Amino acid sequence: MSSGGHHAHPPKQPDIEDGPYSWHMALTDAVADLLLAKGVITGEELRRTLETIDAATPARGARLVARAWCDPAFRTRLLEDVNAAAAELGIDAGAIPILAVENTPELHNVIVCTLCSCYPRYLLGAAPDWYKSRAYRSRVVREPRAVLAEFGLELPDHVRIEVHDSTAELRYMVLPLRPPGSEGLAEEALAALVTRDCLIGTAVPRVPAES
Amino acid sequence: MTVRPRYRPGQRVRVRRWDPPGHVRTPFYVRGHRGEIVRVIGPMPNPEDLAYGRTDRPPVPVYRVRFRRRELWPEDPRAQEDTVVADLCEHWLEPVGSGS
């Protein structure tokens, strides 16, 4: 490596080792080391599990929604059992049960975990940082319309907002309404309309305006 | 072990106004308030046991309970028809008579 002056700039942001080694980080490392040392799990199993968790993305939820829009029988099965419906599409949604809550012209659903940050991560991947913030967790229950407006979603007064607080062993995803103007779209194009926030309920799918 | 749920969907319940020590998963904003059973989702492990490694305790019925904003925050004139659903363990719920 060159010791030339222009390589000596300090990094613009700290590297991962530069932060404090917290009590919980130490606990995680110690438990993982013990599980490996005692042969409870192998390093390969640990790596594969972490890769499985990281492979989950909101696109998988979007596929479920698009299929439900196209296939009424699948929609019924999705509302009964998200994990089983996902398995039909070859998607492993994990062992924690997920319930889909369906938007209607009169009802808009929003997901939160006021106590911590429960989220259907085995289906949708890691929750966004704002989902874990105290501001979102407290305000979306107390003033959901104001919070949704900040996300750019203004709902008419006749639409009831139902906030689902994930306080137990069940996780939630929103089944949004198929947007107007999407009648001619194929399933794959429909899935592309369903973003992560649509699955949390802080947005609704929209067909981009023709330019 | 099967646990027979005490409440049915549609029944009115009140969340206990209770502040026990230790780990609980009943949000403060619903305690003491009336709601309606939406759905039975238990039995599930009781988080109040699980947090302390007591995995031999029986699971408890858990319910989706719907609350109206009008009930939770009557002083707030905004959007009184909007609702919140929380998932609550049976021992946090009390029956509400039809007159109350």
Side-chain angles (χ1 to χ4, degrees):
Chain A
M1 190 203 273
S2 162
S3 60
H6 62 280
H7 289 295
H9 294 298
K12 287 205 164 29
Q13 59 184 42
D15 288 318
I16 195 160
E17 298 87 346
D18 295 337
Y21 188 59
S22 71
W23 187 88
H24 286 98
M25 289 160 76
L27 179 67
T28 304
D29 286 348
V31 171
D33 284 351
L34 278 170
L35 291 170
L36 294 171
K38 290 181 175 291
V40 179
I41 56 171
T42 66
E44 171 67 11
E45 286 168 338
L46 179 60
R47 185 186 62 74
R48 242 187 285 127
T49 301
L50 291 174
E51 284 182 342
T52 301
I53 293 171
D54 286 346
T57 77
R60 307 201 310 169
R63 277 182 65 202
L64 301 180
V65 169
R67 175 63 61 89
W69 286 344
C70 295
D71 179 347
F74 182 82
R75 170 188 158 273
T76 303
R77 295 197 294 280
L78 183 71
L79 291 172
E80 272 167 17
D81 187 337
V82 168
N83 306 62
E88 288 183 38
L89 303 193
I91 295 170
D92 180 0
I96 301 176
I98 302 168
L99 182 68
V101 286
E102 186 179 34
N103 288 351
T104 72
E106 294 82 36
L107 175 68
H108 180 85
N109 293 286
V110 188
I111 312 302
V112 67
C113 172
T114 59
L115 298 173
C116 43
S117 57
C118 296
Y119 186 76
R121 63 177 303 156
Y122 291 97
L123 176 64
L124 304 182
D129 284 344
W130 56 258
Y131 184 88
K132 302 176 235 176
S133 69
R134 280 194 301 274
Y136 178 75
R137 285 158 44 212
S138 55
R139 290 188 55 221
V140 81
V141 168
R142 191 65 181 80
E143 44 175 2
R145 282 175 196 266
V147 171
L148 294 186
E150 289 169 26
F151 275 92
L153 182 59
E154 307 248 12
L155 294 167
D157 287 347
H158 71 268
V159 176
R160 174 164 63 91
I161 297 179
E162 183 149 274
V163 179
H164 300 268
D165 192 355
S166 316
T167 49
E169 303 281 319
L170 196 56
R171 300 292 172 266
Y172 295 95
M173 64 169 272
V174 174
L175 173 54
L177 277 173
R178 183 169 174 164
S182 68
E183 292 75 14
L185 296 181
E187 194 172 314
E188 205 169 313
L190 289 171
L193 304 178
V194 183
T195 63
R196 178 195 65 199
D197 287 10
C198 297
L199 299 163
I200 300 174
T202 50
V204 296
R206 295 189 201 283
V207 177
E210 300 278 345
S211 54
Chain B
M1 174 187 288
T2 52
V3 185
R4 190 191 299 272
R6 179 177 176 191
Y7 302 108
R8 303 179 311 278
Q11 256 185 298
R12 304 273 297 154
V13 290
R14 185 193 305 274
V15 183
R16 292 179 65 182
R17 195 183 291 280
W18 188 28
D19 190 11
H23 176 83
V24 300
R25 287 194 61 89
T26 302
F28 280 95
Y29 69 84
V30 299
R31 296 186 194 180
H33 288 293
R34 287 166 302 175
E36 179 186 341
I37 304 281
V38 181
R39 178 174 176 145
V40 184
I41 53 172
M44 290 178 170
N46 182 351
E48 294 155 32
D49 290 327
L50 213 53
Y52 304 100
R54 297 189 291 250
T55 53
D56 57 334
R57 303 289 178 89
V60 293
V62 178
Y63 302 87
R64 308 200 67 220
V65 184
R66 175 181 291 130
F67 303 88
R68 297 211 169 265
R69 287 181 56 79
R70 182 189 322 127
E71 163 73 15
L72 298 177
W73 295 291
E75 73 285 3
D76 183 348
R78 293 173 299 177
Q80 289 275 289
E81 299 303 314
D82 288 343
T83 47
V84 180
V85 177
D87 299 339
L88 303 172
C89 293
E90 186 172 88
H91 59 274
W92 275 89
L93 304 177
E94 299 165 335
V96 171
S98 54
S100 54

